[in-house]
Amino acid sequence: MSQKSKVTNNVTMLYIMNITQLILPLVTLPYLTRILSVNSYGVVSYVKNIMAYVTLTIEFGFLLSGTRDIANARTNDETNQILGNVITSKIILTFLSFITLLVMIFSIKMLRNYPLFTILMFIPQFLSIFLFDFYFRGIERMQVITIRFLIMRGTATILTFFVVKNDSDLLYIPLLDIIGTLLAILWVHLEIKKLGVKIKLSSLKNVLNTLKESFTYFASNIATTAFTAFNTVIVGIFLEPSKVSFWTLLMSLVVGVQQLYSPISDGIYPRIIKTKSLKLFKNILLIFSPLLIIGCLFTLFFAKYIVTIIAGSKYIAMYPLLQLAVPLLFVSFYSILCGWPLLGAIGKIKETTFSTIVAAISQILGVILLLMLHIFNLYSLVILRILSESILALVRIYYFVRFKNEFND
């Protein structure tokens, strides 16, 4: 397969996955918002946002650093060694994450009221260790990642309609995720077996070096949660559960749109690492920028109908929030593409991380200021979110202009 065909295939497969990532929640979300009370839906969404922190901790940036290492590996033995180091690192991080989660359960009222639900939601995060996404990205076999996702999420989604009927069935939601993840693991290990991969365990020293090398990626990713999960945690602490439901629904829609950007970012990342070429990046911008503008205008004018169709009449009051968030949908496209696919591909890891940290600090300080001024509400939080995303995009564009000569073309 030619390089161009491989990139096209990777982007296509990731687009299938991310469109499915968008569609499946949009299928279950209207169902859950209608059969669950506003407060119960708020609990489900709140715990899922807590799990976003857990996932980031367990991943620890390996989706980027591990992909890089696998892509650059010269021998099968080296590949097996990388797999062993990453898997061992993730197991250690899972243990630390679980201890932290127990502390949070005792400290945060919303989690304390639903301890079993919270712990069950943790289990799929642990099981994700054995999905090896970084490996398949590194060898540019995105179809494996897409198929395992369809198995994992498709199973949980279909079963949701048969099992979850009201608030009393909350525990079934994580149980269905566990079943779907186990089926996906089975599929992935069949693929691993076909490729003849053998995980080679290593010394603690090598594992610690692996963690150290990936820390910069982790710092960047964890800073990114200041834009999503952090905000939700704060909303859950200072506002009532119904507001949590409104906020998490809004962020579900925003993240759903941003997931449409991820296949582009993930698909071109391994190729730009190898070619250091700007041509592919420029072509992507020329193709997708007009589509982005059309999508943003559609959301602005039809926000009320979007919210009504997706969530039902109980959530109609939040449609002005979606309209207010349209600039966020626009700016985040460029902040994402100017990050790891562009700066990360030429080794500007510290600069990419720094841009995220600067924006995250702006977001956190902004939240503190809103609380101090007693103007912390969902509208002010959306405006702050737009400002912090704009800072992220501008800092990354600055670094791109500064280092553009390091690309081959």
Side-chain angles (χ1 to χ4, degrees):
M1 185 182 293
S2 67
Q3 291 185 357
K4 184 177 180 180
S5 297
K6 185 174 285 189
V7 171
T8 302
N9 180 68
N10 288 339
V11 172
T12 301
M13 294 308 297
L14 287 172
Y15 238 108
I16 292 172
M17 183 179 77
N18 281 68
I19 289 175
T20 308
Q21 262 182 324
L22 174 64
I23 291 174
L24 292 183
L26 290 181
V27 170
T28 56
L29 192 150
Y31 180 71
L32 292 177
T33 54
R34 286 166 172 81
I35 66 165
L36 298 178
S37 65
V38 173
N39 286 353
S40 291
Y41 180 74
V43 170
V44 173
S45 301
Y46 190 72
V47 175
K48 284 185 176 180
N49 277 272
I50 296 295
M51 291 306 123
Y53 277 111
V54 173
T55 299
L56 284 171
T57 303
I58 295 173
E59 283 298 328
F60 208 75
F62 292 126
L63 204 57
L64 292 166
S65 65
T67 297
R68 177 203 62 196
D69 293 342
I70 293 293
N72 292 329
R74 298 179 181 273
T75 65
N76 289 336
D77 186 66
E78 187 178 351
T79 297
N80 295 340
Q81 184 74 62
I82 294 167
L83 278 166
N85 289 339
V86 172
I87 297 305
T88 305
S89 299
K90 286 188 173 186
I91 291 173
I92 293 171
L93 293 167
T94 300
F95 175 75
L96 296 175
S97 298
F98 185 68
I99 298 300
T100 304
L101 181 65
L102 292 178
V103 174
M104 294 179 69
I105 289 173
F106 284 106
S107 304
I108 300 176
K109 183 179 179 181
M110 192 173 290
L111 300 183
R112 191 165 60 246
N113 291 338
Y114 297 87
L116 181 57
F117 177 80
T118 305
I119 291 172
L120 287 175
M121 288 287 284
F122 176 86
I123 295 176
Q125 319 312 315
F126 162 68
L127 293 175
S128 68
I129 293 174
F130 308 104
L131 294 174
F132 306 118
D133 278 6
F134 70 96
Y135 169 72
F136 291 108
R137 288 175 188 267
I139 64 173
E140 298 186 71
R141 293 281 298 273
M142 307 305 184
Q143 66 270 21
V144 176
I145 299 172
T146 300
I147 293 172
R148 75 86 184 150
F149 175 81
L150 293 174
I151 294 171
M152 182 172 70
R153 297 309 311 157
T155 301
T157 298
I158 293 170
L159 292 176
T160 295
F161 292 101
F162 291 97
V163 176
V164 183
K165 299 297 182 181
N166 50 52
D167 286 359
S168 64
D169 297 327
L170 277 183
L171 290 181
Y172 287 126
I173 295 175
L175 289 173
L176 297 179
D177 283 339
I178 293 170
I179 292 171
T181 306
L182 288 172
L183 291 174
I185 289 172
L186 178 61
W187 159 259
V188 166
H189 278 264
L190 291 174
E191 291 298 310
I192 287 283
K193 189 176 180 180
K194 289 179 185 177
L195 293 168
V197 176
K198 296 182 180 179
I199 299 173
K200 184 177 181 181
L201 299 180
S202 185
S203 65
L204 180 60
K205 181 180 178 181
N206 287 339
V207 171
L208 293 176
N209 285 335
T210 300
L211 288 166
K212 181 180 178 181
E213 290 176 4
S214 194
F215 178 77
T216 304
Y217 295 98
F218 167 70
S220 176
N221 289 338
I222 201 71
T224 305
T225 64
F227 309 137
T228 50
F230 170 78
N231 289 337
T232 304
V233 171
I234 298 300
V235 169
I237 293 173
F238 291 98
L239 300 179
E240 60 269 23
S242 62
K243 298 297 183 184
V244 176
S245 295
F246 280 20
W247 178 256
T248 53
L249 177 60
L250 174 66
M251 286 299 103
S252 295
L253 297 175
V254 170
V255 171
V257 173
Q258 290 174 335
Q259 284 174 346
L260 294 176
Y261 309 156
S262 296
I264 308 170
S265 172
D266 295 342
I268 65 177
Y269 176 62
R271 184 55 50 193
I272 298 181
I273 287 176
K274 295 179 180 179
T275 64
K276 303 295 187 292
S277 173
L278 271 178
K279 185 178 180 180
L280 176 62
F281 184 81
K282 291 177 180 177
N283 289 338
I284 289 293
L285 291 184
L286 288 173
I287 293 170
F288 287 98
S289 290
L291 297 175
L292 174 67
I293 293 171
I294 293 171
C296 287
L297 290 174
F298 180 85
T299 304
L300 180 64
F301 291 112
F302 295 97
K304 185 174 183 178
Y305 301 100
I306 293 172
V307 171
T308 304
I309 292 170
I310 292 175
S313 57
K314 287 188 291 186
Y315 295 86
I316 191 66
M318 63 150 289
Y319 86 87
L321 286 172
L322 180 58
Q323 291 178 315
L324 187 61
V326 166
L328 174 60
L329 302 178
F330 181 82
V331 174
S332 60
F333 176 79
Y334 298 99
S335 65
I336 289 171
L337 259 69
C338 289
W340 295 113
L342 192 64
L343 296 176
I346 58 171
K348 301 305 175 185
I349 300 170
K350 291 182 179 179
E351 288 79 1
T352 308
T353 302
F354 178 75
S355 67
T356 308
I357 292 174
V358 168
I361 291 174
S362 301
Q363 176 73 27
I364 294 169
L365 292 178
V367 168
I368 294 172
L369 182 62
L370 293 177
L371 290 170
M372 291 176 62
L373 295 176
H374 303 289
I375 55 173
F376 181 80
N377 56 59
L378 298 187
Y379 291 93
S380 62
L381 193 56
V382 171
I383 294 171
L384 176 62
R385 181 69 183 83
I386 294 169
L387 292 174
S388 60
E389 191 73 27
S390 300
I391 290 171
L392 178 64
L394 289 172
V395 174
R396 288 181 171 179
I397 291 171
Y398 162 76
Y399 279 127
F400 164 66
V401 173
R402 180 177 171 184
F403 297 112
K404 64 182 180 180
N405 291 333
E406 297 191 21
F407 289 93
N408 289 335
D409 51 4

